[in-house]
Amino acid sequence: MAAPSMFRLDGKIALVTGASRGIGRACAEALASQGALVIVHYRSGEDAAKGVEAAIVAKGGKAETCAFDVADTGATETAIEGLIKRHGRLDILVANAGISIDGLLLRLKDDDLDLLFHTNVRGAIVCARAATRSMMRTKRGRVIFVSSVVGETGNGGQTAYAATKAALLGAAKSIAREYASRQITVNVLSPGFIDTDMTSSMTDAQREALVKAVPLGRTGSTADVAAACVYLASDEASYVTGQVLRVNGGMYV
């Protein structure tokens, strides 16, 4: 008798925010490949999000798109409530949507600081609050926050961004304690230097310097992060909660 396949997500409903490109897209495609119906969220990149949906469907998966701004609490709650009503529940939330505004502390603008926290922190927490309402009823669920290695190490010129990513660690650990009795796990993915659109603008010198800081001697891929996401979303990770899974090649251990 053949052993059952691991990490399958057949019949699960998953929402991935910021899924039109980069890490979010890779996570959406990986979850769909394991059998989940994936809701591909975007804020403004409709064509890109539709492209992700089409790519998933072309491979035999199930997907749909959904647009809202995670920085807008009302729009976020309304959209997630609508998704839950339409599908009956929400099993997996990957809170990946985020922005980066870099700059030295002395040049940090209040508006930029507010936008970073509203999007990266409040947006993720509001998504979790809305999603867990459904998970509490079913007494099962997976919440995955996508942070960053700089949230743990800090980085010059990224004070505000690093602060938002660090905040997700504390939020996840707290929510994990609140919802453990309902069999809802809450964990954090902390990627290191991953090849995405956000890193493509780096100069060769900047890229070389960063790679030297990675013990494994290479950059990571979005597929590396997506594989970790699938694990945390799966039944095999049912005894893992309040943890930070670092996908960083050893940059921070």
Side-chain angles (χ1 to χ4, degrees):
M1 181 176 177
S5 299
M6 297 182 70
F7 313 126
R8 292 297 303 174
L9 301 169
D10 300 289
K12 300 292 177 64
I13 310 297
L15 167 63
V16 182
T17 66
S20 64
R21 61 189 178 96
I23 289 172
R25 173 172 186 156
C27 288
E29 292 180 341
L31 293 172
S33 73
Q34 292 299 104
L37 186 162
V38 178
I39 299 155
V40 179
H41 161 265
Y42 67 96
R43 181 178 64 86
S44 58
E46 181 178 7
D47 290 344
K50 291 293 184 183
V52 178
E53 178 187 13
I56 290 172
V57 172
K59 293 179 180 179
K62 299 176 181 179
E64 63 182 60
T65 59
C66 179
F68 58 89
D69 184 354
V70 297
D72 184 332
T73 297
T76 299
E77 291 186 331
T78 298
I80 294 179
E81 287 170 2
L83 293 172
I84 293 170
K85 184 177 181 179
R86 184 161 67 254
H87 294 287
R89 68 186 194 283
L90 183 61
D91 303 300
I92 301 162
L93 166 68
V94 181
N96 166 75
I99 60 172
S100 175
I101 302 174
D102 298 339
L104 297 174
L105 178 62
L106 289 176
R107 298 175 182 173
L108 179 62
K109 299 177 181 178
D110 287 349
D111 287 347
D112 290 341
L113 183 63
D114 289 344
L115 181 58
L116 278 163
F117 271 88
H118 287 171
T119 303
N120 297 2
V121 182
R122 192 177 73 179
I125 292 173
V126 169
C127 284
R129 184 175 65 190
T132 51
R133 291 191 180 113
S134 166
M135 296 175 185
M136 286 180 67
R137 291 196 297 269
T138 59
K139 294 186 179 180
R140 56 186 290 178
R142 300 284 184 269
V143 176
I144 302 166
F145 288 157
V146 180
S147 180
S148 167
V149 65
V150 301
E152 300 184 272
T153 65
N155 191 40
Q158 289 190 305
T159 297
Y161 176 74
T164 64
K165 292 302 184 178
L168 294 178
L169 275 63
K173 290 175 182 291
S174 299
I175 299 169
R177 290 183 178 274
E178 287 186 26
Y179 288 94
S181 65
R182 298 300 183 102
Q183 303 305 306
I184 299 169
T185 66
V186 186
N187 293 289
V188 180
L189 282 174
S190 183
F193 184 29
I194 308 298
D195 280 322
T196 65
D197 292 344
M198 292 179 71
T199 60
S200 62
S201 60
M202 290 183 175
T203 65
D204 290 341
Q206 289 174 323
R207 181 177 292 272
E208 183 179 350
L210 277 173
V211 170
K212 285 182 178 179
V214 181
L216 285 182
R218 66 173 178 86
T219 59
S221 69
T222 56
D224 291 323
V225 183
C229 180
V230 167
Y231 165 67
L232 290 177
S234 72
D235 289 342
E236 283 75 14
S238 63
Y239 202 55
V240 179
T241 194
Q243 303 303 308
V244 180
L245 181 48
R246 300 180 177 97
V247 188
N248 62 29
M251 285 181 70
Y252 178 79
V253 297

